[in-house]
Amino acid sequence: MTHDPAPLTVGFDLDMTLIDTAPGIRTVLRVLGAELGIDFPVEEMTAALGPPLDLMLEPHLPAAAIPAAGDRFRELYPSHAIDSVPLLPGAFEAIAAVRERAGKVVVVTGKYAPNARLHLDHLGLDVDVLEGWVWGAGKADALRREGASAYVGDHVHDVEGALAAGVASVSVLTGGCSREELLAAGTHAVLDDLRAFPSWLEGHGR
């Protein structure tokens, strides 16, 4: 008796994989800094997006002030960081490539889920499942639950999540991590950007 293969499910990171959130995050950090009387080094802070907001703020604020600052960042975000954030090259095509194979698209991101949803809706990205506020190996639970066979990200910690889930790790160079860093972390494939993803997907699972 033969069994039909499991349907294709591909997970994607959001920030710097599908969308360029750096401009929006820089704006929010400037507004937050003005409220707090702190001149955040926003270029440095957004050079390699991916880690949770608390870790981004940690070097610049007392520990006791971080939770409230994080809450305020998330409150400011919808007004300052949605309209200015574009899709990265190949994002629509990457999702379409999964759809052409009757596949499911899962976004697994460290971003606060309601704000991630605003980006997806604003840019018209066709996504089946959104899992927010998960980071590194913590992404594995969602990937396993949804039956993903690959996870696409831009950061070494996205590689960590894919490997923890036991799925193919595909990395793009649109974030702050280099090809060498991503390969050293154990990724299975490095693409310049998502425009190369449909070709990679052609060979996935063969």
Side-chain angles (χ1 to χ4, degrees), residues 53-93:
L53 177 64
D54 287 2
L55 293 183
M56 188 189 296
L57 295 175
E58 197 172 70
H60 310 287
L61 292 172
I66 289 175
D71 287 344
R72 183 58 179 150
F73 179 98
R74 286 181 282 273
E75 289 173 2
L76 291 167
Y77 195 96
S79 299
H80 297 279
I82 304 301
D83 291 348
S84 62
V85 167
L87 287 170
L88 283 165
F92 268 131
E93 292 81 358

Side-chain angles (χ1 to χ4, degrees), residues 83-200:
D83 291 348
S84 62
V85 167
L87 287 170
L88 283 165
F92 268 131
E93 292 81 358
I95 289 175
V98 178
R99 294 291 186 218
E100 285 165 9
R101 292 158 179 80
K104 181 168 71 171
V105 175
V106 179
V107 168
V108 185
T109 174
K111 186 178 290 300
Y112 179 54
N115 287 340
R117 172 55 63 188
L118 290 175
H119 282 299
L120 296 176
D121 291 348
H122 176 69
L123 294 168
L125 288 174
D126 178 21
V127 168
D128 296 292
V129 177
L130 169 63
E131 182 85 11
W133 258 10
V134 284
W135 167 244
K139 295 187 172 187
D141 287 343
L143 294 170
R144 281 193 295 259
R145 184 188 69 229
E146 299 301 331
S149 61
Y151 182 58
V152 186
D154 65 283
H155 198 282
V156 293
H157 290 294
D158 296 326
V159 179
E160 181 185 349
L163 298 183
V167 306
S169 169
V170 182
S171 298
V172 289
L173 295 175
T174 43
C177 291
S178 68
R179 182 182 301 272
E180 292 72 24
E181 288 170 325
L182 294 161
L183 288 170
T187 194
H188 299 108
V190 180
L191 313 176
D192 287 342
D193 58 39
L194 286 176
R195 286 176 290 193
F197 178 77
S199 294
W200 177 87

Side-chain angles (χ1 to χ4, degrees), residues 15 21-29 46 49 56 73 77 81 111:
D15 290 22
T21 40
I25 291 174
R26 284 194 288 264
T27 299
V28 178
L29 285 171
T46 57
L49 291 174
M56 188 189 296
F73 179 98
Y77 195 96
K111 186 178 290 300

